[in-house]
Every structure is written in C-alpha cells, then in structure tokens.
Amino acid sequence: MGDTIVKLYQKQNFVIGEDILKAIKKNNLTLDEALLIIYFCSMNNHAMLDIDEIKEKFGMSELSIMQAFATITEKNLINIKMEKNRDNKVEEIIDLTPLYESIAMEIDEESREDNIVKVFTVFEREFGRPLSSMETSIINSWLDKGINEGLINCALKEATFNGTVTLRYIDAIISEWNRKGFKTQDDVEVYLKKRKPARPKTK
C-alpha cells in the first residue's frame, strides 16, 4: 500500500491536501519551511530550488529560503538528486520521496489502527456481548505477535463454521495456520478452497 501511495503523490498534478498539512504539523515546520514544501510539491515531481521564483511568490528573503531549505533537508523530508536535462546539463532536482514515504507510513498506521478496532468489534458482535479483559488480552497478544487482522477474522469465521466459538479454539486455529506459514487472509482462503471436498459428478 505504501509504495502505491508514494507513486500516486509523485505522478499526480499536485493539490495540497490534508495529508501534506498533517506532515507539516507532525514535523513542526515553520511557515517558511511549510511554504517551501508546498512550493516543491506543486512542481509535479520536477522540483528545483529556484530562489528568485520563491522570493517572488512568497516574499521570502534569500537567507530565509536557505535556512528553511537546510532544515527540511536535515529533517529528511527531501533528497537532492543530480539529473541531466534536455540540454545535457546537470541540474539539482528536489526529490520528495522521503516526504511521501512518511505520509504513506502514517496512512498505513491509521489504516491498521482502524482494522484493529474492527477486529474487536467483530468479536463482540459474534459473542453478543462486550469482551472481558482476559479476552481482550488474548486478542492483543495475537496482534502483538504480528498476526494479520484479516487472518484473525478468518479464524473467527472458521470457528463459527465449526460451531466452536471460543478463544481457545480460535487460538488453536491461528497456531495451526502459523505452522502452515499462512500470513494473510488470502493465504487462508486459498487453503480453505483447496480443502473443500469436490462435488460428485452427475451422471
């Protein structure tokens, strides 16, 4: 998911959105630093440090521009690449991949937190009651071990299908799938499809 988000940011005609503003806030950027980031983002993956243009657009002094540029470089929000242009001259290009990667990581983390909340919601709906502290601890232990949220939900479905909806039984299912090397919901679904007995052929 993260790589896809980075590529999307790199290719689109850029509009400053909530994710960029969150990144600016998270990194405690000053107004000058934020303006520089916004300026680079608006240049559609061919950003350059054009001091004269930045001075004209934002009314910043050359000293302020260089200080802001140094800070966002130190904070690893940008890289500097050397590329040849059409005239075969070497140019300094501002690479925003570090910024986009940090945004992608933030989005991935928020998505995972949402999925974790959904895991507990699904269990409570299946049990028909709030989870006890012991049950919450067991589910948290699965998540702490890196068990995929989709795989946990699949184990719950499998337990329901088999008519034994207890955390001990679900834990046994998860342990078995771990031994088989299953990591995601897709791995489990492929396994379950293969396990289903074939229908008898009609004569």
Side-chain angles (χ1 to χ4, degrees):
M1 180 179 178
D3 290 343
T4 303
I5 294 171
V6 171
K7 289 176 182 176
L8 177 63
Y9 273 108
Q10 289 174 334
K11 289 181 179 179
Q12 71 174 350
N13 290 323
F14 205 88
V15 177
I16 303 303
E18 184 180 356
D19 295 327
I20 293 295
L21 298 178
K22 282 183 179 178
I24 289 170
K25 182 178 180 180
K26 180 182 176 182
N27 288 280
N28 297 316
L29 300 188
T30 65
L31 177 59
D32 287 347
E33 293 156 7
L35 288 174
L36 213 54
I37 286 290
I38 292 170
Y39 170 76
F40 291 145
C41 288
S42 68
M43 297 184 72
N44 297 330
N45 207 32
H46 194 77
M48 299 177 65
L49 183 62
D50 189 329
I51 293 176
D52 290 335
E53 184 176 24
I54 296 170
K55 286 166 66 177
E56 183 180 345
K57 277 191 172 183
F58 301 120
M60 297 166 61
S61 67
E62 184 170 343
L63 177 60
S64 298
I65 294 170
M66 297 311 299
Q67 287 175 338
F69 184 76
T71 301
I72 61 176
T73 304
E74 288 170 4
K75 289 186 175 182
N76 196 32
L77 296 175
I78 61 172
N79 286 328
I80 302 172
K81 299 191 301 185
M82 307 302 292
E83 292 183 359
K84 288 184 178 181
N85 60 20
R86 294 178 180 178
D87 299 326
N88 212 32
K89 293 181 179 178
V90 177
E91 295 178 331
E92 284 189 354
I93 304 299
I94 309 303
D95 178 18
L96 291 159
T97 300
L99 172 66
Y100 299 152
E101 287 177 343
S102 70
I103 292 172
M105 288 176 62
E106 190 75 18
I107 292 173
D108 282 345
E109 184 61 29
E110 289 176 358
S111 176
R112 185 170 188 275
E113 288 175 1
D114 289 342
N115 289 338
I116 288 172
V117 170
K118 288 176 184 176
V119 168
F120 288 98
T121 302
V122 169
F123 271 82
E124 288 184 340
R125 185 169 64 241
E126 187 63 38
F127 288 3
R129 58 173 174 77
L131 297 174
S132 68
S133 58
M134 179 66 73
E135 290 166 338
T136 301
S137 296
I138 292 172
I139 296 173
N140 274 325
S141 71
W142 296 336
L143 296 168
D144 290 341
K145 291 175 183 175
I147 305 298
N148 182 275
E149 297 87 6
L151 191 141
I152 293 173
N153 285 331
C154 278
L156 174 60
K157 289 179 183 177
E158 180 72 357
T160 304
F161 179 78
N162 292 331
T164 311
V165 187
T166 66
L167 286 185
R168 180 177 294 181
Y169 184 60
I170 294 169
D171 187 59
I173 293 172
I174 290 173
S175 296
E176 179 191 353
W177 288 349
N178 268 334
R179 286 195 296 273
K180 293 179 182 295
F182 301 158
K183 300 295 182 185
T184 66
Q185 184 174 343
D186 291 340
D187 296 335
V188 174
E189 289 176 351
V190 170
Y191 164 72
L192 293 178
K193 284 178 182 178
K194 288 181 179 179
R195 194 187 62 177
K196 288 181 179 178
R199 292 182 180 179
K201 295 181 180 179
T202 54
K203 292 184 181 180

